[in-house]
Amino acid sequence: MQYICLIYLDERRLAALPDSELRALQAQSARCEADWRAEGLLVAAEALGSVELATTLCNEWRNEWRNDPQRVSVRHGPGACTPEQLAGIVIIDAQDLDAALRLAAALPVRQLGSVEVRPLLPASRLGVPCPAAELSMTQDSVAPR
């Protein structure tokens, strides 16, 4: 099953890293990417441009209960105001959620923020919850490889 790892971090913290630490993090990430590609675990990995470059499209609300998908507003900046921003994505192929969480825990960039792991579903299932039977997770299973 494929999982997406959404990487969140505070861009200011990343920008404040000394050059030597940034280069070390980039080298660790490159090794991790190469190893996972060789093992057939990595589907895609991409960094995102700065949140300062984001543009968000939002449906305008007619009232508190209904939005109007025909009226779209454009907001410059991220969709949410949070201390951490979505900085990148990694799509992995893992046997189950436990394996996906172990891989996510091993991401070098995790030390700067957090990683949200979700199963990828076909677009036709947008908004449909993933049945628990498709997932497997235990409390103590998250440890880097």
Side-chain angles (χ1 to χ4, degrees):
M1 180 167 205
Q2 289 185 347
Y3 293 85
I4 189 165
C5 302
L6 303 170
I7 301 165
Y8 293 92
L9 55 85
D10 184 339
E11 290 181 354
R12 295 170 299 185
R13 186 171 176 200
L14 182 63
L17 282 180
D19 284 343
S20 61
E21 287 183 39
L22 180 60
R23 281 193 304 276
L25 180 64
Q26 290 168 334
Q28 290 171 348
S29 296
R31 278 193 305 275
C32 182
E33 182 177 336
D35 290 348
W36 288 3
R37 279 196 196 282
E39 294 175 41
L41 300 170
L42 184 65
V43 176
E46 300 295 337
L48 300 179
S50 170
V51 71
E52 298 296 324
L53 303 175
T55 302
T56 304
L57 298 177
C58 305
N59 289 342
E60 290 187 7
W61 292 87
R62 279 190 267 174
N63 59 44
E64 64 182 276
W65 301 108
R66 295 176 51 184
N67 69 11
D68 184 352
Q70 303 306 315
R71 297 186 57 171
V72 176
S73 62
V74 176
R75 201 175 354 161
H76 296 284
C81 296
T82 62
E84 292 182 333
Q85 297 83 35
L86 182 60
I89 64 161
V90 175
I91 299 175
I92 54 177
D93 204 354
Q95 182 176 355
D96 55 27
L97 183 58
D98 291 336
L101 291 173
R102 282 191 295 278
L103 290 170
L107 286 167
V109 73
R110 187 184 56 82
Q111 64 189 316
L112 295 178
S114 59
V115 178
E116 177 182 337
V117 179
R118 294 190 199 181
L120 280 181
L121 305 174
S124 62
R125 293 209 27 211
L126 185 64
V128 178
C130 184
E134 293 181 18
L135 306 176
S136 164
M137 188 175 119
T138 60
Q139 264 314 10
D140 301 322
S141 64
V142 182
R145 304 178 355 163

